[in-house]
Amino acid sequence: MKPTDDEKLLMVLFKEADQDDVDSVLHSPTACAQLDQLEADMQAINNAQNTYELPSDYGQQLWHKIADQLESPADNVSTLGWWQKLQNFLLQPQYSLASFALVSALVMLAYFTGRQHSADGIDGQLQEQLLAQNIQLHLTQSEIFLTQVSNGNGSNMQATAQRLLSSNRIFKQALANHDGQFTQQILQNLEPVLLEYANSTPNQIHGQQPQANWVNNTQSNDLLFQIKAMKQQLAQKSDII
Amino acid sequence: MMNEIDKQTVQRASQGDKQAFRLIVLHYAQAVNRLAYRYTADASYAEDIAQETFIKAFQAINRYQPQAKFSTWLLRITTNSAIDYLRKANRQMATSLDTEDLQHDIPDHGLNTEDHLDLNQRLSKAMSDLSDVERLAITMKHHQGYSIDETAKVLNIKSNACKQTIFRAVQKLRKQLTVEVTV
């Protein structure tokens, strides 16, 4: 018999064959005989392994080997961490809705609290950095202005002085909300000088020194030094002191 | 037909009662070991698989559905444990599961030196000479009554490959029976 026929017989025996195959086998006396033989062989194969002997107290022996290794689900629960226990509690059906609401509320609370805090923190820091940079720019312009005045060059100096004076006053106001007393002091010292040049006539600026006699004044030299020092401080740390 | 243990014992065991589970071990130990031996043809493997089966069963017993026979549930764990065990023990099995090239022949034990062996011994020897996949497939189908599709699924092979594997195993085993007749 061909292997395919043997395979068909085996499938018939295993009740895995198509109905047509079953019918064709059952209608053939030869095939039926072969099927009987196959069944007997399979039974013999099955019986062959039943000869495997185990001791009569095998169950007891096995129990002694595994008894210490047994961990029931109940034991597992007692050794669970607090997080797992909380999870198990929250997943119980009777608590699940309340748990969901509680967790949602906590998430929302954390979100809004975090958002407010971070927004405040970021805004405050950013504002201070921007102010520091602007003051640094203002002091640079003032320094250039004062140097030009002292050298007797530059054009449209009165307008520049007026613009710088306006900026100086704005920055003084802005610093009123900060602790930067040194910066405030420099702006305070700078204001009368700017004021004098802003109110002077063009001839005074280009021809003669203003009454404040800024270039030869020791106090004014100190002011220029203070401006330079503060510029450096603001450039390095962006920190208003 | 296997004699089932009473449901109360199973219920007590599922509540973590180790003494009840001890009764289950005493009741089913032989059946589990014998099935493991069928799958592996190795007594020491069968012992390891039997231990693993009962440890797993105790851990999972609260998931047992009382509608099903307890023995069916337990022997299914045995089957899975045996497959896992053989995969770990013989990495070749994992790669050979879905290949068609499993044609190695069993030596003909009946002709010369082993004529004295009786039929059962020769069949047992032939069984141990089958490949792991062949032995698993024929045991699952013929002894445990799994369908071809179910066997293929558990062994992670295609149905046709599974049929071929079983057929090949039967041919090899029947060859030993034929030898007996001709001697």
Side-chain angles (χ1 to χ4, degrees):
Chain A
M1 184 172 276
K2 292 177 186 174
T4 48
D5 293 333
D6 276 350
E7 195 176 336
K8 194 196 292 182
L9 280 176
L10 190 65
M11 291 302 118
V12 171
L13 182 71
F14 284 160
K15 299 183 175 65
E16 295 271 355
D18 297 334
Q19 192 55 46
D20 291 346
D21 290 341
V22 175
D23 290 344
S24 70
V25 168
L26 293 179
H27 282 105
S28 160
T30 316
C32 280
Q34 286 174 330
L35 186 61
D36 288 342
Q37 184 59 51
L38 178 62
E39 193 170 2
D41 289 352
M42 294 307 289
Q43 189 59 49
I45 291 167
N46 201 26
N47 292 340
Q49 289 194 303
N50 287 339
T51 55
Y52 173 56
E53 290 296 328
L54 286 166
S56 57
D57 65 341
Y58 174 68
Q60 194 63 38
Q61 289 177 23
L62 183 61
W63 172 252
H64 285 308
K65 285 176 189 168
I66 64 168
D68 294 339
Q69 301 174 52
L70 295 181
E71 259 184 48
S72 73
D75 293 339
N76 291 341
V77 168
S78 64
T79 57
L80 290 176
W82 64 271
W83 173 245
Q84 194 64 44
K85 284 179 184 171
L86 180 67
Q87 248 184 344
N88 290 345
F89 172 79
L90 293 180
L91 288 173
Q92 285 179 41
Q94 63 268 37
Y95 301 123
S96 59
L97 188 62
S99 308
F100 177 72
L102 177 68
V103 170
S104 302
L106 285 172
V107 168
M108 295 292 282
L109 182 68
Y111 172 73
F112 282 114
T113 311
R115 191 178 168 207
Q116 206 173 348
H117 279 187
S118 62
D120 285 348
I122 290 168
D123 281 359
Q125 263 186 334
L126 197 65
Q127 275 180 357
E128 190 167 325
Q129 281 183 349
L130 282 172
L131 184 60
Q133 283 178 1
N134 282 324
I135 290 174
Q136 189 196 346
L137 187 65
H138 170 65
L139 292 176
T140 306
Q141 288 174 344
S142 301
E143 186 190 358
I144 292 168
F145 171 74
L146 293 176
T147 309
Q148 284 178 337
V149 164
S150 64
N151 292 338
N153 54 20
S155 60
N156 207 12
M157 300 306 276
Q158 191 179 17
T160 308
Q162 284 168 353
R163 186 174 53 77
L164 287 172
L165 184 64
S166 311
S167 302
N168 202 66
R169 284 174 176 164
I170 291 168
F171 288 126
K172 265 175 66 185
Q173 272 191 335
L175 282 174
N177 297 326
H178 286 78
D179 294 333
Q181 52 176 341
F182 290 106
T183 316
Q184 267 185 334
Q185 188 59 49
I186 291 170
L187 297 181
Q188 189 70 41
N189 296 340
L190 182 59
E191 188 166 332
V193 180
L194 293 174
L195 188 62
E196 193 170 350
Y197 282 106
N199 293 332
S200 63
T201 60
N203 284 340
Q204 279 178 312
I205 295 175
H206 290 290
Q208 308 164 12
Q209 292 297 329
Q211 286 178 352
N213 198 13
W214 131 266
V215 175
N216 296 324
N217 192 335
T218 313
Q219 202 178 356
S220 301
N221 282 336
D222 286 343
L223 178 62
L224 203 55
F225 173 76
Q226 285 172 10
I227 288 173
K228 284 180 178 172
M230 182 54 69
K231 263 175 58 193
Q232 272 192 335
Q233 154 71 22
L234 292 173
Q236 285 169 1
K237 296 186 177 174
S238 292
D239 194 9
I240 298 172
I241 55 171
Chain B
M1 183 71 76
M2 192 178 290
N3 184 21
E4 293 289 325
I5 199 163
D6 62 286
K7 289 184 177 177
Q8 287 79 11
T9 305
V10 175
Q11 196 178 358
R12 273 172 33 224
S14 68
Q15 289 161 355
D17 184 341
K18 286 191 181 178
Q19 280 312 308
F21 192 73
R22 177 176 165 272
L23 296 177
I24 290 174
V25 173
L26 297 181
H27 192 91
Y28 291 106
Q30 297 239 0
V32 167
N33 189 302
R34 282 177 194 282
L35 179 59
Y37 181 77
R38 280 178 186 274
Y39 283 133
T40 59
D42 184 301
S44 100
Y45 283 8
E47 174 63 32
D48 289 347
I49 291 165
Q51 289 182 27
E52 202 174 309
T53 297
F54 282 107
I55 290 168
K56 281 183 184 171
F58 191 61
Q59 284 170 344
I61 198 166
N62 54 4
R63 295 205 293 273
Y64 161 68
Q65 301 291 324
Q67 297 90 331
K69 278 185 183 176
F70 187 77
S71 61
T72 307
W73 180 78
L74 188 64
L75 294 181
R76 187 170 282 266
I77 295 177
T78 311
T79 301
N80 292 334
S81 299
I83 293 169
D84 289 346
Y85 191 92
L86 288 172
R87 274 187 205 278
K88 284 178 198 165
N90 176 16
R91 288 176 179 272
Q92 227 182 359
M93 180 189 164
T95 55
S96 67
L97 272 176
D98 205 16
T99 59
E100 303 291 325
D101 188 23
L102 292 169
Q103 300 284 354
H104 70 275
D105 278 335
I106 293 172
D108 205 340
H109 300 301
L111 291 176
N112 295 313
T113 56
E114 299 183 22
D115 277 353
H116 63 282
L117 296 176
D118 70 9
L119 177 64
N120 285 343
Q121 283 174 310
R122 279 191 288 113
L123 277 173
S124 294
K125 183 75 172 71
M127 200 70 169
S128 69
D129 286 340
L130 292 178
S131 72
D132 287 338
V133 185
E134 287 171 341
R135 203 181 314 104
L136 282 164
I138 194 169
T139 306
M140 287 176 73
K141 177 64 204 157
H142 180 49
H143 186 262
Q144 287 300 103
Y146 284 72
S147 69
I148 295 278
D149 287 343
E150 213 174 356
T151 305
K153 195 176 170 187
V154 173
L155 294 178
N156 197 23
I157 57 179
K158 291 171 185 161
S159 283
N160 277 339
C162 184
K163 273 185 198 174
Q164 290 293 319
T165 304
I166 292 171
F167 178 62
R168 220 165 29 239
V170 169
Q171 272 186 318
K172 288 175 183 176
L173 294 172
R174 288 186 85 191
K175 199 173 171 185
Q176 303 303 314
L177 296 168
T178 316
V179 168
E180 165 74 2
V181 171
T182 57
V183 166

